[in-house]
Amino acid sequence: MPVPTEELKLEIVNAATGKTLDGRAAPGQDGTLVVRELPEDGPAPEQWHLVPAQPAQDEQIYVIHHATGGKVLEQPAAAGGGVQQANAADGRKTQQWRLVPVAGEAALYVIESAADDTVLDLDLDAGLGASAEQGTPVVVRAYDEDAESQRWRLVPAEPERVSDPVLRWTRLGHWNGRQSWRLAPSTALRPAPDATPSFSDLLLVLDRFGTDQDAGGWKTEGAMPRPCGQPGWWAGPGARFLAETAGKAPADIVALKPAEGAVTAAARGDGTFEDEERVLHPPAPSQSPADLWTLADLTGDGTPGIVTLAADGVRVSLQEEDGTLPPAGGEPALKAFGHGDQAGGWLADKHPRFLADTTGNGRLDLVGCHDDGVWISLQDQDGKFAPLPDEPALRAFGHGDKAGGWLADKHPRFLADTTGNGRLDLVGCHDDGVWISLQDEDGVFAEPLYVLDDFGTDQGWASVEEHPRFLLKTTGDGATDIIGFGPYGVVVARGLEDGTFEPAKLVLNDFGTAQGWTATKHLRFLADITGDGNPDIVGFGDEGVWVAHNRGDGRFEQAQLVCRGFGYHDDAGAWRVGHHPRFLADITGDGRLDIIGFGGPGVYVARNLYRRFRTR
């Protein structure tokens, strides 16, 4: 687990005993702190803050504060002595500690003194005769790589979510058989009145595009677009999503019918949609269920076109004056990146493909990671894609062993400008952490560099679906950062604008698997809900939609329940991943993202009410 920020409360747990560091000294221990095993009905474990020492050091050093009392851990005068608490004193080395990750052990640390390199340990001999209430004394000793008692786990406290309890009528029985009703708290939650941002109640706006037979019996058979509408997504048959088909808000409904092609229901601009469907893009004569499809502004002129990864290669259809997108006939725009053998045999579960402006000229290029590495086709000023060269642009980030053994379900890969030079670099999260290949001014990609020992499977990020990761700017004027939903919550590694990153930090103890978020039940992504230019965290959880607002400096507030719907529990609508797509899109043209979901009976909407009733 990455080192948490100073705002998160932690339990510090000894790996050898499973007992927690307690802020109360044991009787007869002269103030020495202990680790204790607390009974379930006993007091809650003590919690701590990790605060970076000031001034900043070349290597990060922390002061460990008690979360309630405010005192700090202090090293004893001699090795073997007991660790105590003291009032914080600026610059005192005996109150400063390093957190050294244990090699090969995810989420375990050695807590090392900055004064003399001794480490926190347990006096197990003194603890043998002690009662459970007294605990085992905590001491400092020389480092021993075989001593499990010198290893510690940092466990974030439960998230402090913001919401209101719900009162429900509860049946009350009486001894004489009569019954009455009373109001009692329930497990349900509702949005807090001042939640920022807040959304309206759910409204069924269209009885089409749903999973129920009366609503069309829609079933997603192929890939689905990403919920946050990021560029470069691909969709398969049965997909439903929101897109600005006219090149500007409001967003319309678009759906892929295997027999009819891409159909759309136009937004009316008031949060509702036209009842009638119209065909946006007829199906190709040789359409295959394995084809992947996307809607994108290829040339940068504001007009979206359709790109299809077909069996024979890449097919492109540009929008005509009447807003339709005719099927692309004749030869493909590029005889590559397709799933047929004649186009390279690109498979959706092995070979990720992207549409991205790699050079900064405003036109989207095609980039793909095949078995032998990265292949790129640049789009020229005439809108034509260049044939693939004889050799890949980079023999790395590929599925084959010689190209790194990158697996699509475990190792996410991204295109992002990490240096600010206007050209996209290749970034990937492998088993051991983050690798990057920088693109120079001539369009040449350098050999990959290992830049960060986090966000990989070795650090507990088991899969792409379970632990989504993103590369984006968490502040409007900052560098590109890495942000992900890890085992213990939201983790951020700040970009340094040179292709490297600061050490990853746990910035929010929520939205992680430790807090009950799973890929099979919940959606998590980032989107600018408030319109301030900074991405907020959005999660479709059990009770509904939770938002953690970006404070503007890349940190996040505790999550707020902003919409009592679109959630996994029955009370929140029983929405299911894989059956009920949910998105954030501006369907009114007011510049704010609304929530749209494709449920059983049809299309549901919750309008973004942020600042709607506030004066400037």
Side-chain angles (χ1 to χ4, degrees):
M1 183 187 73
V3 176
T5 63
E6 63 268 26
E7 296 181 353
L8 296 187
K9 298 176 182 178
L10 305 166
E11 298 170 20
I12 301 178
V13 181
N14 184 262
T17 63
K19 299 177 180 178
T20 3
L21 177 65
D22 203 300
R24 300 162 295 169
Q29 293 291 345
D30 298 325
T32 297
L33 300 185
V34 298
V35 294
R36 285 189 177 94
E37 183 177 2
L38 299 174
E40 292 184 2
D41 57 350
E46 299 286 316
Q47 296 177 348
W48 308 83
H49 288 301
L50 299 179
V51 180
Q54 299 297 330
Q57 309 286 331
D58 292 337
E59 55 180 343
Q60 189 64 71
I61 296 176
Y62 298 89
V63 178
I64 303 175
H65 286 255
H66 191 274
T68 305
K71 291 190 174 183
V72 302
L73 290 192
E74 180 152 30
Q75 180 190 12
V83 175
Q84 300 183 1
Q85 288 190 87
N87 293 324
D90 289 341
R92 185 179 293 178
K93 281 286 187 180
T94 54
Q95 294 181 355
Q96 297 178 1
W97 307 86
R98 301 184 190 93
L99 298 177
V100 183
V102 177
E105 296 285 348
L108 289 184
Y109 293 88
V110 172
I111 303 177
E112 179 183 77
S113 170
D116 58 9
D117 298 340
T118 55
V119 301
L120 287 192
D121 200 347
L122 298 185
D123 188 352
L124 296 174
D125 292 335
L128 287 176
S131 65
E133 174 62 25
Q134 289 178 318
T136 305
V138 179
V139 297
V140 292
R141 290 199 176 106
Y143 173 64
D144 180 357
E145 64 179 7
D146 296 323
E148 190 176 1
S149 58
Q150 294 182 357
R151 302 176 183 182
W152 301 83
R153 191 181 307 278
L154 308 178
V155 180
E158 288 297 313
E160 299 174 359
R161 291 175 170 174
V162 178
S163 60
D164 282 351
V166 173
L167 295 178
R168 295 279 177 86
W169 289 105
T170 303
R171 188 187 302 272
L172 184 65
H174 299 275
W175 64 271
N176 58 2
R178 299 183 62 184
Q179 292 184 342
S180 60
W181 297 82
R182 64 183 177 89
L183 285 173
S186 77
T187 58
L189 298 173
R190 68 184 177 196
D194 59 348
T196 305
S198 58
F199 289 80
S200 69
D201 293 334
L202 269 68
L203 178 66
L204 180 64
V205 297
L206 192 63
D207 55 359
R208 296 173 181 268
F209 303 107
T211 55
D212 294 350
Q213 289 301 316
D214 292 343
W218 283 78
K219 180 180 179 182
T220 302
E221 301 174 1
M224 284 195 301
R226 300 180 183 130
C228 46
Q230 290 178 323
W233 52 262
W234 302 98
R240 291 148 286 160
F241 51 93
L242 278 293
E244 297 177 359
T245 61
K248 60 181 180 179
D252 304 317
I253 293 172
V254 180
L256 302 183
K257 280 188 173 181
E260 298 182 31
V263 299
T264 182
R268 291 176 172 149
D270 59 356
T272 64
F273 301 89
E274 298 289 348
D275 292 333
E276 293 186 3
E277 302 173 9
R278 69 179 179 90
V279 176
L280 179 69
H281 179 66
S286 58
Q287 186 179 18
S288 165
D291 289 354
L292 295 176
W293 187 98
T294 191
L295 188 73
D297 179 6
L298 289 172
T299 61
D301 63 357
T303 304
I306 284 179
V307 181
T308 305
L309 302 178
D312 56 356
V314 180
R315 292 187 168 271
V316 176
S317 177
L318 298 178
Q319 194 173 90
E320 296 187 343
E321 292 183 359
D322 61 357
T324 61
L325 292 141
E331 293 294 313
L334 182 66
K335 294 181 179 180
F337 296 109
H339 53 84
D341 291 339
Q342 68 273 33
W346 293 73
L347 304 178
D349 59 349
K350 289 184 178 181
H351 309 130
R353 284 152 285 179
F354 308 90
L355 268 174
D357 179 9
T358 63
T359 63
N361 65 359
R363 292 178 173 271
L364 299 185
D365 309 307
L366 280 158
V367 182
C369 301
H370 207 284
D371 293 336
D372 52 356
V374 180
W375 294 83
I376 299 176
S377 172
L378 299 179
Q379 184 187 177
D380 63 22
Q381 295 299 317
D382 297 325
K384 295 182 179 179
F385 289 98
L388 294 188
D390 295 333
E391 297 289 331
L394 186 66
R395 291 193 178 276
F397 297 102
H399 181 80
D401 291 339
K402 292 183 179 180
W406 293 74
L407 305 178
D409 61 340
K410 290 186 176 182
H411 307 136
R413 281 150 280 181
F414 309 90
L415 288 162
D417 181 4
T418 64
T419 62
N421 66 356
R423 289 180 173 269
L424 300 185
D425 310 304
L426 280 157
V427 185
C429 303
H430 209 287
D431 293 335
D432 52 357
V434 179
W435 291 79
I436 186 168
S437 172
L438 298 178
Q439 183 187 182
D440 64 21
E441 295 180 355
D442 298 323
V444 177
F445 286 90
E447 283 299 310
L449 294 175
Y450 180 65
V451 294
L452 192 64
D453 56 349
D454 211 326
F455 299 101
T457 57
D458 291 349
Q459 294 87 31
W461 300 72
S463 70
V464 170
E465 289 188 353
E466 197 66 57
H467 301 294
R469 281 147 277 183
F470 305 86
L471 263 79
L472 45 74
K473 294 182 178 182
T474 58
T475 58
D477 56 354
T480 298
D481 307 316
I482 304 174
I483 182 168
F485 300 97
Y488 293 94
V490 181
V491 178
V492 173
R494 309 285 180 206
L496 297 175
E497 295 189 315
D498 61 356
T500 64
F501 301 87
E502 293 181 1
K505 288 188 177 181
L506 181 70
V507 299
L508 188 65
N509 56 333
D510 206 345
F511 299 102
T513 51
Q515 293 85 30
W517 293 78
T518 67
T520 57
K521 294 182 179 181
H522 310 123
L523 299 174
R524 293 156 289 171
F525 47 92
L526 292 109
D528 179 10
I529 296 295
T530 61
D532 61 359
N534 299 315
D536 308 298
I537 297 171
V538 183
F540 291 82
D542 290 332
E543 305 89 356
V545 183
W546 294 86
V547 169
H549 181 230
N550 190 325
R551 297 178 178 178
D553 57 0
R555 296 180 298 169
F556 297 89
E557 296 176 354
Q558 291 291 334
Q560 297 177 334
L561 184 66
V562 299
C563 181
R564 189 69 179 88
F566 299 107
Y568 184 83
H569 283 170
D570 290 345
D571 288 342
W575 293 72
R576 296 294 182 261
V577 173
H579 293 282
H580 307 130
R582 285 152 281 178
F583 299 91
L584 288 167
D586 179 7
I587 58 173
T588 63
D590 62 2
R592 288 184 289 268
L593 297 180
D594 309 294
I595 305 173
I596 305 93
F598 297 87
V603 181
Y604 288 85
V605 167
R607 295 278 301 277
N608 190 332
L609 303 179
Y610 182 60
R611 290 182 178 166
R612 185 173 298 279
F613 304 111
R614 300 183 185 181
T615 58
R616 294 187 180 273

